[in-house]
Amino acid sequence: GGGGGEGGAAVESPVLPSEAAEAIKSEMAAEKAKSDPDFKRLKQLKADLDAQCKYDAKVAQLEARKKTAVEEDNFDVADELNDELKALKATVLVTAAEVAAAEAKLKAAMEKRSIQLLQKAIPQAENCGVDTAAATALLRQCEQGEAAAKSAAAGLKAAMDTRSIQLLQKAIPQAENCGVDTAAAKELLRRCEQA
């Protein structure tokens, strides 16, 4: 009888879906079940699932090759495959949803022209492969503007401390150009000119 040889056969078992892939499938199923599914979201999820399945298949393939190399006492190959596995597992799969979220955060930070938000959003976007050239340029511009405003505010304060009409007349427009509040300085200048 030839029915007992099943256990030792080197039949490659199909790759079982990982927890991550199952989670994406569940999310897709939930979205599909809605009365008005978000098709853009479903398209994103499908792309994420495809990427996850490719990743899972590559991991499974490397694991199987490593196992075979160990069984054949080919430890140099097993070591190389192990390093390749570690490198693969260290890479983070960036989902389409993460890319979209990073793009949205970057756009919001740019619209607000917030140095703090830009400093946070730019590296996150870079990690997701989003182009950050415009945001980086805007950040530099904002930082330069902030430095100019601080300098103008310091110049205005110095002019107010000296009560010099000439210095106040020079410092007030510079401060205004940088968005610094000059109401108190203008009032002081008016009083100095009347004295």
Side-chain angles (χ1 to χ4, degrees):
E6 201 177 347
V11 177
E12 216 176 291
S13 58
V15 178
L16 293 172
S18 65
E19 282 183 35
E22 289 296 347
I24 296 169
K25 284 181 182 178
S26 297
E27 218 176 317
M28 283 179 75
E31 190 62 47
K32 284 179 183 178
K34 291 180 180 175
S35 60
D36 185 21
D38 181 345
F39 296 110
K40 283 184 180 174
R41 178 84 183 114
L42 282 168
K43 190 176 171 183
Q44 269 184 353
L45 288 168
K46 175 73 174 112
D48 294 347
L49 181 62
D50 292 345
Q52 185 66 49
C53 289
K54 281 181 189 170
Y55 171 85
D56 293 344
K58 180 77 174 162
V59 168
Q61 178 196 21
L62 288 171
E63 294 274 11
R65 286 176 54 204
K66 183 177 92 170
K67 184 179 177 196
T68 303
V70 170
E71 288 168 358
E72 295 172 355
D73 293 340
N74 196 343
F75 302 119
D76 287 339
V77 170
D79 192 36
E80 285 175 25
L81 290 166
N82 199 47
D83 288 345
E84 205 175 324
L85 264 167
K86 282 181 184 172
L88 182 63
K89 287 179 178 179
T91 60
V92 178
L93 281 182
V94 179
T95 65
E98 289 170 326
V99 171
E103 286 174 338
K105 274 186 185 174
L106 192 64
K107 186 179 179 212
M110 289 177 74
E111 285 170 359
K112 290 180 179 168
R113 301 179 67 88
S114 162
I115 292 172
Q116 204 171 8
L117 291 177
L118 283 165
Q119 286 171 335
K120 216 172 171 182
I122 289 171
Q124 287 174 344
E126 285 172 345
N127 289 341
C128 292
V130 175
D131 179 23
T132 59
T136 303
L138 178 62
L139 173 61
R140 274 197 296 273
Q141 189 182 347
C142 290
E143 287 172 338
Q144 289 167 352
E146 186 179 81
K150 282 181 180 174
S151 174
L156 188 64
K157 185 183 181 318
M160 289 175 74
D161 290 346
T162 61
R163 295 177 170 265
S164 160
I165 292 172
Q166 196 176 0
L167 288 177
L168 282 165
Q169 286 172 334
K170 187 178 173 190
I172 289 171
Q174 287 175 342
E176 283 177 333
N177 287 342
C178 295
V180 176
D181 181 18
T182 59
K186 285 179 177 174
E187 177 57 29
L188 178 62
L189 176 59
R190 189 182 60 73
R191 283 187 307 197
C192 290
E193 285 172 336
Q194 286 175 349

